[in-house]
């Protein structure tokens, strides 16, 4: 733990105050790396792209995962075990493999656009169009990551006392009213956990972008982690990359703290 986690954290903290390429001795520069973040236009763009991804991916993931969990908990559903496995499988599948498959599906003449053309719709250049590249990445990330929150929410649904629903049905409450008055309020602990974990995971999106877009086109999908990777392993600026990592750590920590404070009002 010390060698591969604590030690690495301490090294990255120190290197964030230096100019270091991992080959020559580090040169202490104080807070220069952190100051440069504010004037780095590409970093600011990656920050906006990351926020755009977070705002797009988290609501979709939570809403779809909740809908799937409710459907899988429904009475009389046949093949429940199969559907649970099918929805969860992408989460434990290699992100590289998923990225490669979706790269082919979203190609200009891939299966998706070919299918759209058969119904008279001309599909866009999903991964080479600055307008569609980020939505395409969000769709793939949501598709892959939806299994984990679905399982958490499904477990939460199974803890709700069935007698509450029986009492609601006796009071002639509709299924929609039962969802809003019973299911959703009693599922807030699991929803809170899902929101926290999805927020942290969304800010660290990397593999899908690395495989599918390489941050393009025109840096439209370049996010903080991918730009950090470029600075560390392409440009040889490990000190600057470490400063980005600690900036991201502070952002995630602050938002997580705010979420912990706000959840008490739920």
């Amino acid at each position: 733990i010390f060698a591969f986690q604590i030690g690495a954290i301490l090294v990255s903290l120190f290197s964030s105050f230096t100019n270091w390429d991992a080959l020559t001795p580090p040169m202490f520069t104080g807070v220069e790396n952190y100051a440069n973040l504010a004037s780095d236009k590409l970093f600011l763009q990656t920050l906006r792209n990351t926020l755009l991804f977070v705002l797009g991916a988290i609501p979709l993931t939570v809403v779809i995962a909740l809908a799937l969990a409710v459907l899988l908990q429904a009475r009389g559903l046949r093949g429940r075990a199969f559907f649970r496995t099918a929805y969860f499988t992408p989460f434990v599948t290699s992100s590289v493999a998923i990225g490669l498959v979706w790269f082919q599906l979203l190609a200009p003449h891939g299966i998706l656009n070919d299918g759209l053309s058969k119904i008279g719709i001309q599909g866009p250049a999903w991964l080479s169009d600055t307008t569609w590249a980020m939505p395409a990445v969000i769709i793939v990330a949501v598709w892959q990551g939806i299994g984990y929150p679905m399982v958490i929410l499904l477990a939460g649904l199974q803890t709700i006392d069935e007698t509450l629903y029986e009492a609601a049905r006796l009071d002639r409450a509709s299924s929609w009213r039962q969802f809003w008055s019973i299911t959703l309020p009693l599922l807030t602990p699991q929803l809170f956990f899902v929101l926290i974990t999805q927020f942290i995971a969304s800010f660290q999106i990397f593999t899908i972008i690395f495989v599918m877009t390489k941050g393009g086109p025109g840096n439209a999908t370049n996010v903080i982690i991918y730009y950090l990777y470029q600075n560390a392993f392409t440009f040889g600026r490990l000190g600057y990359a470490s400063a980005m990592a600690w900036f991201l750590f502070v952002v995630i920590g602050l938002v997580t703290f705010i979420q912990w404070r706000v959840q008490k009002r739920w």
Side-chain angles (χ1 to χ4, degrees):
I1 292 175
F2 181 82
F4 294 103
Q5 294 184 9
I6 299 176
I9 290 173
L10 295 176
V11 170
S12 70
L13 179 61
F14 169 75
S15 64
S16 69
F17 297 101
T18 67
N19 181 8
W20 185 41
D21 60 3
L23 299 176
T24 57
M27 296 178 57
F28 186 78
T29 58
V31 296
E32 181 179 341
N33 287 328
Y34 293 95
N36 290 337
L37 291 177
S39 58
D40 188 342
K41 293 182 179 180
L42 184 53
F43 172 76
L44 296 177
Q45 182 179 351
T46 61
L47 179 59
R48 289 192 296 269
N49 291 341
T50 304
L51 292 175
L52 179 62
F53 177 86
V54 170
L55 294 175
I58 292 180
L60 280 175
T61 300
V62 174
V63 170
I64 298 176
L66 178 58
L68 291 176
V70 171
L71 290 174
L72 291 175
Q73 187 66 7
R75 294 180 175 181
L77 178 65
R78 295 183 178 181
R80 183 175 300 175
F82 167 78
F83 287 114
R84 290 178 180 177
T85 304
Y87 290 131
F88 188 74
T89 298
F91 179 75
V92 294
T93 303
S94 168
S95 297
V96 175
I98 287 177
L100 291 173
V101 171
W102 275 94
F103 181 82
Q104 297 297 327
L105 292 175
L106 297 174
H109 299 288
I111 296 176
L112 181 58
N113 280 353
D114 285 346
L116 291 175
S117 65
K118 292 180 180 179
I119 58 175
I121 300 176
Q122 183 178 359
W126 295 97
L127 301 178
S128 57
D129 188 326
T130 55
T131 302
W132 287 100
M134 182 58 78
V137 169
I138 291 174
I139 291 172
V140 176
V142 170
W143 179 85
Q144 181 193 13
I146 207 166
Y148 178 73
M150 181 202 71
V151 169
I152 298 298
L153 295 175
L154 187 59
L157 288 173
Q158 294 173 350
T159 64
I160 299 177
D161 191 350
E162 182 63 26
T163 59
L164 296 174
Y165 293 105
E166 294 175 358
R169 285 191 290 269
L170 289 175
D171 289 336
R172 297 183 179 180
S174 64
S175 298
W176 189 249
R177 182 59 185 272
Q178 292 177 42
F179 174 79
W180 281 104
S181 299
I182 300 176
T183 305
L184 201 59
L186 295 180
L187 207 59
T188 50
Q190 289 78 19
L191 284 171
F192 173 69
F193 176 78
V194 166
L195 286 172
I196 290 287
T197 55
Q198 289 302 306
F199 176 83
I200 295 173
S202 295
F203 256 97
Q204 298 180 26
I205 183 70
F206 171 77
T207 307
I208 293 295
I209 289 176
F210 178 80
V211 174
M212 295 180 60
T213 65
K214 295 290 192 297
N219 290 309
T221 60
N222 198 346
V223 292
I224 291 180
I225 294 295
Y226 186 76
Y227 188 46
L228 186 157
Y229 162 81
Q230 287 180 309
N231 276 275
F233 302 108
T234 303
F235 309 144
R237 305 172 63 188
L238 267 72
Y240 193 51
S242 297
M244 289 184 196
W246 280 94
F247 171 83
L248 184 61
F249 167 77
V250 171
V251 170
I252 293 176
L254 285 175
V255 175
T256 303
F257 174 76
I258 293 172
Q259 288 178 310
W260 273 103
R261 300 289 296 180
V262 173
Q263 64 95 13
K264 295 179 180 179
R265 300 183 179 181
W266 288 19

